[in-house]
């Protein structure tokens, strides 16, 4: 009698429960929502591409009846990470020439290697390798600048990742364009092809002020605005860049680009190591996002970006890995979070600077703002796209756990990422890719290595 | 006929082959020997505690007939890493209080938490957790300073790791001694108990110049020399320490300790962030080793140690993780190598500074020198103890591989460590501990977390 009453209640609850495609539960849900809620035994309900609800596991399971469940009692559930600056296909040049001066690195190794080796096939396999690595390290969205960006887009879609992908515009012949005009033409075709894609945000990427003319920069901006897509560029990466621009134009790169109207629209600048207070004001006023790349800036000895000042000025500062061919050697946002925090502490002399939660903000909700996607991604909130990850806390380096933010930024590793969902689709489960063929990708990487090594100066 | 002739040759070869306990082979053997040989398809033969031979796999297998084999065609074989500065039991305080000023951190969190919680059981389980994590990240030897160091030693032996373990001497009541005299008495008993141990090098660890008197420091040195064991201490970690010592004594901590004769014998100093040229000369002349701790120094905003100058002066500079309760959050030498290189590059403005090979030297052969064990460990050489690890190169972030040193320092992770041998004994195989019970250790860590959390100020 009592039993059938309980059954009745159960079926009544089921009848009231809304259908969902997924309920994903974990020991902690770190939402990164405006209140920065951390939910003990939290869960997210997902339907289609979107998050339906976020809350305590028991409440979510009462309210939603999922087709599939993912229970991770020994993991943290959080928004997928945003890699705000990358050159994905350069994965095939990982560590090809380390510990060198920038000019020697570029002129003796990178440019010759690229000139000889960068083909659509290189770009396809390099992007596959990078996307596999990024998924395995919890990245769900990345911003990219390279050549043959339509191939980057195809491989990114195949991997199930979200990409803000910029076709490069540059003032000398490159593998996919002899002139900036040709690059702009390719960029427009690329934008038209992908502008309604659920995963890809096409973009225009004039390489930098020192590798473009005023004309090609203005044209890139006009093209971006014509289709309301972002413009991506490098800005004030090195002191030498600033000095060169000042010598020629009498102002900083940021001031010069602003004078030309290049920041008039969605903009993401990478590095911003040498931006002064006036530059920061310009970026803030124009609403430009900044991709801070601590591994790259330290490894190439570019300098220490004024991250605290930029954040203090209200700028959206995200984290980027840059490319893995000398400026970094991997696509690992966990390491960028950790390094960003440590660099700001030691260079400001204040251990309270850039605390763990703020570093995680840079990798999630602020990163989403840098690519103008903060309405869609960057936090676990109802209505947003279901871009989320689980990170295991069952390894020796993960215990004991006193604070989830500290653990995520200072102790947990990319290797602790367990599951990855992008746009409502599970793309990694228990570290197994559901989209790509790792064995084929690793074998191809070795083929490319042999070919590329043979093409290098002895 | 031909077949039996081949069989005959085979048995003749076997008859000529010397017996060995192990042959361990890998795609690359990175020896860190004086010639810094890297052997393609390399192998090591091991008998008992020692390395018999190092060479190409085929030659080693011709010369030695092993009882057991470990074949790792997709891994790098290299000497085990040396963590030159740790506080192992503090693993149980991992991230207990991050992003705070040093004084607040020490006085509000660490000292109270230690006073209430540090017992032999805390030390035992904390050391087990730390040793498990260290083995999983390729550390085969570590230097430690804590309380109840005899329990640290017991747990370290149980884990199969090699430890240079210093009983702390400090001028105020601590969990295992009310006075420095009591600490010195404990230290002597500890040294007598472990001085002939194959894995443990007992040591004396006066905490620092500012937490000891001249008398207790001199007594610690005398005790160390009586048994020919190392003295471990913290030195010039912060600018404030230097200023305090200068105000009281009119000289630097290094000059003061030298004047008191504290460097007269085997010595390892941790940090050495604020050592000037004269200090470095003193350390060099006394043959003192230095444990550089880049994670700790950046996270606590202590400063950037003059590593290039110290290495240039011929000092033995190793890498240490420090403790994981605020100064770092893990025991991960891969991250220390990467960070050491990046910090020196950005701080010197030269991307060629501290290249990958040198960073690996700091984690291996130079680390061995800092603990006066470079005749025994730190490289793969015949006659040395068999302390070695394999690191897998079969993950997406590990390919393609152009340079083994670059890959080890800038791309590979602690999670890539696959097997660990210490003193001829395999203690980790395919990331499974052959010595410890991970489930029991993780469960205990959670028990301690609950208890310690309840003891903290709200």
């Amino acid at each position: 009698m009592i039993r059938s009453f309980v059954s009745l209640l159960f079926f009544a609850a089921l009848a009231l429960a809304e259908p969902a495609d997924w309920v994903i539960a974990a020991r902690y849900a770190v939402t990164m929502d405006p209140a920065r809620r951390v939910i003990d035994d939290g869960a997210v309900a997902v339907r289609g591409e979107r998050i339906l609800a976020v809350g305590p596991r028991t409440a979510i399971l009462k309210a939603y009846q999922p087709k599939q469940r993912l229970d991770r009692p020994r993991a943290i559930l959080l928004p997928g990470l945003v890699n705000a600056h990358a050159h994905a296909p350069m994965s095939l040049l990982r560590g090809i020439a380390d510990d060198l001066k920038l000019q020697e690195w570029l002129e003796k190794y990178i440019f010759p290697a690229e000139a000889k080796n960068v083909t659509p096939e290189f770009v396809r396999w390099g992007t596959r390798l990078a996307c596999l690595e990024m998924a395995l390290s919890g990245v769900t969205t990345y911003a990219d600048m390279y050549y043959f960006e339509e191939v980057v887009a195809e491989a990114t879609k195949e991997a199930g990742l979200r990409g803000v992908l910029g076709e490069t515009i540059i003032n000398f012949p490159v593998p996919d364009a002899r002139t900036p005009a040709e690059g702009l033409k390719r960029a427009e075709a690329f934008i038209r092809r992908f502008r309604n894609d659920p995963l890809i945000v096409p973009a225009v990427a004039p390489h930098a002020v020192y590798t473009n003319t005023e004309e090609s920069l203005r044209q890139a901006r006009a093209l971006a605005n014509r289709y309301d897509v972002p413009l991506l560029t490098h800005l004030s990466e090195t002191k030498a860049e600033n000095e060169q621009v000042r010598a020629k134009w009498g102002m900083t790169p940021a001031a010069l680009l602003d004078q030309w109207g290049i920041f008039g629209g969605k903009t993401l600048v990478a590095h911003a190591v040498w931006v002064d207070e006036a530059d920061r004001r310009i970026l803030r006023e124009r609403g430009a996002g900044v991709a801070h790349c601590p591994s790259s800036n330290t490894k190439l000895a570019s300098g220490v970006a004024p991250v605290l000042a930029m954040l203090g000025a209200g700028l959206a500062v995200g984290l980027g890995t840059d490319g893995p061919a000398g400026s970094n050697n991997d696509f690992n946002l966990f390491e960028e979070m950790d390094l960003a925090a440590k660099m700001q502490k030691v260079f400001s002399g204040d251990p309270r600077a850039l605390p763990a939660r703020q570093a995680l903000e840079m990798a999630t909700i602020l990163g989403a703002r840098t690519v103008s996607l903060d309405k869609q991604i960057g936090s676990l909130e109802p209505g947003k796209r279901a871009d989320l990850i689980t990170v295991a806390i069952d390894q020796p380096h993960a215990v004991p756990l006193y604070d989830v933010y500290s653990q995520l930024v200072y102790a947990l590793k990319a290797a602790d990422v367990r599951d990855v969902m992008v746009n409502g689709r599970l793309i990694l489960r228990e570290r197994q890719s559901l989209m790509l063929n790792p064995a084929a990708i690793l074998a191809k990487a070795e083929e490319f290595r042999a070919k590329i090594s043979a093409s290098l100066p002895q």
Side-chain angles (χ1 to χ4, degrees), chain A:
Chain A
M1 186 67 178
I2 287 172
R3 233 165 128 177
S4 53
F5 181 67
V6 169
S7 296
L8 198 73
L9 273 183
F10 177 72
F11 286 108
L14 276 191
L16 291 173
E18 263 191 73
D21 290 322
W22 286 96
V23 165
I24 301 166
R27 176 66 189 87
Y28 303 96
V30 174
T31 65
M32 304 311 282
D33 68 7
R36 300 291 184 263
R37 270 192 310 160
V38 174
I39 306 166
D40 265 36
D41 282 317
V44 164
V46 173
R47 190 187 303 145
E49 299 175 344
R50 291 177 197 277
I51 294 171
L52 285 173
V54 185
R57 184 172 53 86
T58 47
I60 293 290
L61 283 170
K62 211 171 278 180
Y64 296 94
Q65 196 191 345
K67 286 184 198 150
Q68 295 187 77
R69 279 177 63 170
L70 211 53
D71 283 299
R72 296 287 182 250
R74 296 179 76 189
I76 301 169
L77 171 64
L78 70 155
L81 307 182
V82 178
N83 181 354
H85 184 61
H87 307 288
M90 293 181 90
S91 64
L92 292 173
L93 305 174
R94 186 189 309 278
I96 198 171
D98 282 322
D99 305 321
L100 296 171
K101 285 230 169 193
L102 187 68
Q103 283 314 308
E104 189 186 357
W105 172 72
L106 267 178
E107 287 165 21
K108 266 186 75 175
Y109 292 90
I110 300 304
F111 287 155
E114 288 190 334
K116 285 178 198 152
N117 294 290
V118 174
T119 62
E121 276 313 278
F122 172 99
V123 169
R124 188 175 310 281
W125 286 100
T127 303
R128 282 174 177 156
L129 176 59
C131 287
L132 180 59
E133 185 188 342
M134 283 195 267
L136 283 164
S137 59
V139 169
T140 52
T141 294
Y142 77 107
D144 194 75
M145 297 168 66
Y146 210 61
Y147 313 112
F148 300 109
E149 204 67 29
E150 72 284 1
V151 181
V152 174
E154 288 166 9
T156 302
K157 280 171 67 67
E158 189 189 308
L161 285 186
R162 194 180 298 285
V164 178
L165 309 177
E167 167 67 15
T168 294
I169 312 297
I170 203 161
N171 211 29
F172 51 84
V174 286
D176 69 346
R178 277 163 305 173
T179 62
E182 225 180 285
L184 285 158
K185 217 173 131 187
R186 294 190 99 264
E188 180 159 13
F190 169 60
I191 293 168
R192 293 177 67 92
R193 181 171 160 204
F194 286 98
R195 65 184 154 155
N196 295 314
D197 194 278
L199 287 176
I200 306 301
V201 176
V204 191
H207 175 268
V209 64
Y210 61 93
T211 45
N212 277 274
T213 59
E214 178 182 350
E215 192 197 0
S216 61
L217 281 159
R218 284 185 187 272
Q219 288 171 334
R221 179 76 268 172
L223 174 62
N225 288 1
R226 193 145 65 245
Y227 294 96
D228 190 30
V229 299
L231 178 147
L232 318 180
T233 193
H234 297 90
L235 182 77
S236 287
E237 179 175 1
T238 65
K239 207 172 173 179
E241 172 187 337
N242 273 34
E243 283 164 2
Q244 195 184 321
V245 170
R246 191 177 293 278
K248 189 161 173 195
W249 304 95
M251 61 187 93
T252 64
L256 183 63
L257 287 172
D258 191 48
Q259 186 176 294
W260 291 344
I262 308 306
F263 298 140
K266 290 177 183 168
T267 307
L268 169 56
V269 302
H271 301 299
V273 175
W274 298 94
V275 289
D276 63 20
E277 205 184 325
D279 295 336
R280 298 194 288 268
R281 202 175 318 120
I282 290 169
L283 294 173
R284 177 74 191 93
E285 276 166 16
R286 304 301 174 217
V290 173
H292 171 50
C293 305
S295 282
S296 173
N297 298 161
T298 50
K299 184 140 181 277
L300 296 175
S302 304
V304 180
V307 172
L308 300 174
M310 290 194 282
L311 289 168
L315 274 169
V317 186
L319 291 171
T321 57
D322 208 348
S327 16
N328 197 345
N329 296 54
D330 48 27
F331 298 96
N332 187 324
L333 259 276
F334 281 83
E335 292 184 358
E336 302 303 332
M337 287 195 286
D338 183 78
L339 186 57
K342 286 175 176 162
M343 291 300 297
Q344 294 302 311
K345 290 174 197 301
V346 73
F347 278 86
S348 69
D350 186 351
R352 297 168 303 180
L354 201 52
R357 196 179 86 176
Q358 199 170 24
L360 187 65
E361 287 170 357
M362 292 172 74
T364 55
I365 188 67
L366 284 181
R369 256 182 72 196
T370 67
V371 289
S372 310
L373 288 174
D374 48 316
K375 296 279 182 292
Q376 287 82 47
I377 60 165
S379 59
L380 304 181
E381 291 181 80
K384 279 197 167 180
R385 304 301 175 96
D387 285 16
L388 48 88
I389 64 177
T390 71
V391 182
I393 48 175
D394 61 359
Q395 292 297 303
H397 62 261
V399 299
L401 188 155
Y402 292 95
D403 179 282
V404 280
Y405 293 114
S406 269
Q407 216 79 341
L408 280 165
V409 171
Y410 301 128
L412 296 174
K413 315 293 174 203
D416 297 315
V417 170
R418 199 157 165 184
D419 313 288
V420 175
M421 176 175 276
V422 181
N423 217 40
R425 179 175 195 168
L426 202 64
I427 67 163
L428 194 85
R429 183 170 196 149
E430 299 273 11
R431 293 192 72 69
Q432 298 305 308
S433 177
L434 305 176
M435 311 296 289
L436 297 167
N437 180 344
I441 292 170
L442 295 194
K444 270 286 174 183
E446 172 54 23
E447 267 180 44
F448 274 101
R449 187 202 59 75
K451 204 178 130 222
I452 293 164
S453 288
S455 79
L456 285 183
Q458 289 311 306

